[in-house]
């Protein structure tokens, strides 16, 4: 995720020499510095030194120890801290880093790797308008950004756009498998399914009309699409999607309790 952000920022015209990256894994750093002319270090505290913005992009499981080891430098410098760790609450970060720290918590998704991500962001009251804009411009380098007023909505974001790419992949897999049954080779079925998903999403993005209208427009009465859509409806497709998203949101709440527990 951090690599995608760095790539997006540099493609957006940010100066690579203003980006300092720390990772415990030297091979990761070598891979990054081969791709981008950035400064690298294995010492998190020296990466943070003098920074206006600190992006925390480690796994949720290690966030507590990483944040606590940075607490002194961060409390002294008071930079904006951006966290992209799933399930780690703003209050947990504040507890580990310092009560007055400006924090923007973000939930991006994997299409950020191809600069087509969807990120939801929540800023705590210590973040100024300028800091919110900086956070937004950083995440905008890898896709679209929406702001949340209520941090509790992060679990819903995780269920919709966070885990969402996997649902789309699942649908593509199902289309491919059904295409195979209809007589296509695996490769052809995959290509047709994939390009259809891409084409439909591109069409919807470029259209002024919503998905419902676009769907209705390609569903002629008595036609093939109508027969398929009726089959989806009879099978409870929408109810199943709703059930899946509620389950994902519930799991997100459980994980937040596990990793972001400050008690
Ligand atoms: N991937 C997604 O779709 C997605 C979506 C939304 C949010 N996120 C969040 O983004 C964060 C990063 O996810 P990711 O998939 O990019 O994980 P990742 O590939 O494991 O990246 C985390 C990096 O941090 C390094 N690291 C571990 N401990 C460290 C330490 N003490 N100090 C400095 N660096 C350390 C890791 O090194 P090692 O490999 O050696 O451990 C790894 O290179 C996670 O918190 C995740 O919840 C990810």
């Amino acid at each position: 995720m951090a690599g995608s952000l760095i790539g997006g920022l540099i493609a957006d015209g940010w100066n690579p020499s203003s980006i300092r990256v720390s990772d415990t894994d030297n091979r990761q750093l070598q891979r990054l510095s081969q791709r981008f002319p950035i400064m690298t270090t294995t010492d998190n505290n020296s990466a943070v030194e003098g920074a206006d913005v600190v992006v925390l992009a480690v796994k949720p499981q290690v966030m507590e120890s990483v944040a606590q080891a940075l607490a002194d430098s961060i409390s002294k410098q008071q930079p904006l801290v951006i966290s992209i760790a799933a399930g780690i609450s703003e209050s947990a970060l504040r507890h580990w880093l310092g009560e007055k720290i400006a924090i923007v918590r973000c939930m991006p998704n994997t299409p950020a790797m191809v600069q087509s991500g969807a990120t939801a962001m929540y800023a705590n009251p210590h973040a100024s308008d300028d800091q919110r804009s900086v956070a937004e411009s950083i995440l905008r380098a890898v896709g679209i950004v929406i702001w949340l007023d209520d941090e509790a909505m992060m679990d819903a974001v995780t269920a919709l756009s966070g885990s969402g790419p996997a649902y789309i992949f699942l649908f593509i897999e199902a289309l491919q498998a059904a295409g195979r049954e209809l007589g296509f080779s695996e490769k052809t079925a995959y290509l047709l399914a994939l390009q259809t998903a891409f084409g439909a999403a591109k069409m919807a993005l470029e259209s002024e009309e919503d998905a419902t209208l676009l769907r209705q427009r390609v569903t002629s009465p008595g036609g093939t699409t109508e027969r398929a859509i009726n089959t989806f409806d009879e099978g409870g497709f929408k109810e199943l999607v709703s059930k899946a998203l509620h389950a994902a949101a519930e799991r997100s709440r459980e994980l937040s309790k596990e990793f972001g527990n400050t008690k």
Side-chain angles (χ1 to χ4, degrees):
M1 237 341 141
S4 306
L5 268 179
I6 295 163
L9 289 172
I10 293 173
D12 251 18
W14 289 57
N15 184 354
S17 65
S18 69
I19 301 172
R20 219 178 302 147
V21 181
S22 174
D23 197 306
T24 40
D25 185 349
N26 232 324
R27 283 163 313 170
Q28 279 274 31
L29 292 176
Q30 270 169 11
R31 272 197 293 272
L32 276 176
S33 54
Q34 272 160 12
R35 282 171 65 199
F36 312 113
I38 48 170
M39 285 184 276
T40 61
T41 170
T42 50
D43 175 10
N44 290 349
N45 272 291
S46 76
V48 162
E49 209 181 306
D52 296 322
V53 182
V54 173
V55 180
L56 299 175
V58 295
K59 293 262 190 243
Q61 300 90 303
V62 293
M63 185 60 93
E64 179 172 4
S65 65
V66 167
Q68 281 178 339
L70 289 174
D72 284 347
S73 328
I74 288 190
S75 289
K76 223 176 284 158
Q77 291 170 221
Q78 303 273 318
L80 164 68
V81 174
I82 299 176
S83 163
I84 63 163
I88 304 285
S89 68
E90 176 272 330
S91 70
L93 287 165
R94 215 165 6 91
H95 183 79
W96 299 326
L97 293 168
E99 283 304 320
K100 298 255 164 67
I101 305 299
I103 293 170
V104 172
R105 180 183 163 194
C106 308
M107 183 64 200
N109 62 4
T110 40
M113 289 177 195
V114 290
Q115 269 95 65
S116 300
T119 300
M121 323 230 295
Y122 168 79
N124 75 358
H126 301 299
S128 66
D129 286 350
D130 282 352
Q131 287 174 319
R132 285 171 65 110
S133 306
V134 170
E136 185 173 322
S137 60
I138 291 176
L139 271 301
R140 226 200 267 129
V142 290
I144 67 135
V145 163
I146 62 137
W147 282 100
L148 301 174
D149 294 327
D150 178 5
E151 189 186 3
M153 285 301 288
M154 257 330 160
D155 296 310
V157 167
T158 305
L160 180 55
S161 53
S163 303
Y167 316 152
I168 308 295
F169 297 143
L170 179 69
F171 196 69
I172 291 170
E173 280 175 70
L175 288 175
Q176 183 189 14
R180 287 274 288 148
E181 285 166 20
L182 290 172
F184 294 112
S185 72
E186 189 146 343
K187 204 172 153 200
T188 305
Y190 186 60
L191 209 64
L192 287 176
L194 195 59
Q195 181 65 17
T196 302
F198 172 75
K202 189 166 193 281
M203 213 176 134
L205 269 172
E206 288 175 6
S207 171
E208 310 250 301
E209 285 152 358
D210 64 14
T212 305
L213 227 124
L214 291 171
R215 174 175 57 76
Q216 284 164 351
R217 195 154 293 151
V218 291
T219 311
S220 339
T224 56
T225 313
E226 188 187 65
R227 183 80 63 90
I229 301 253
N230 287 346
T231 310
F232 280 130
D233 284 347
E234 285 157 17
F237 181 69
K238 283 188 178 158
E239 292 78 9
L240 189 61
V241 170
S242 162
K243 205 170 149 191
L245 262 71
H246 279 92
E250 179 51 30
R251 183 64 186 139
S252 172
R253 280 189 283 276
E254 286 168 14
L255 288 173
S256 303
K257 281 191 198 126
E258 211 173 297
F259 297 126
N261 198 345
T262 55
K263 310 275 170 335

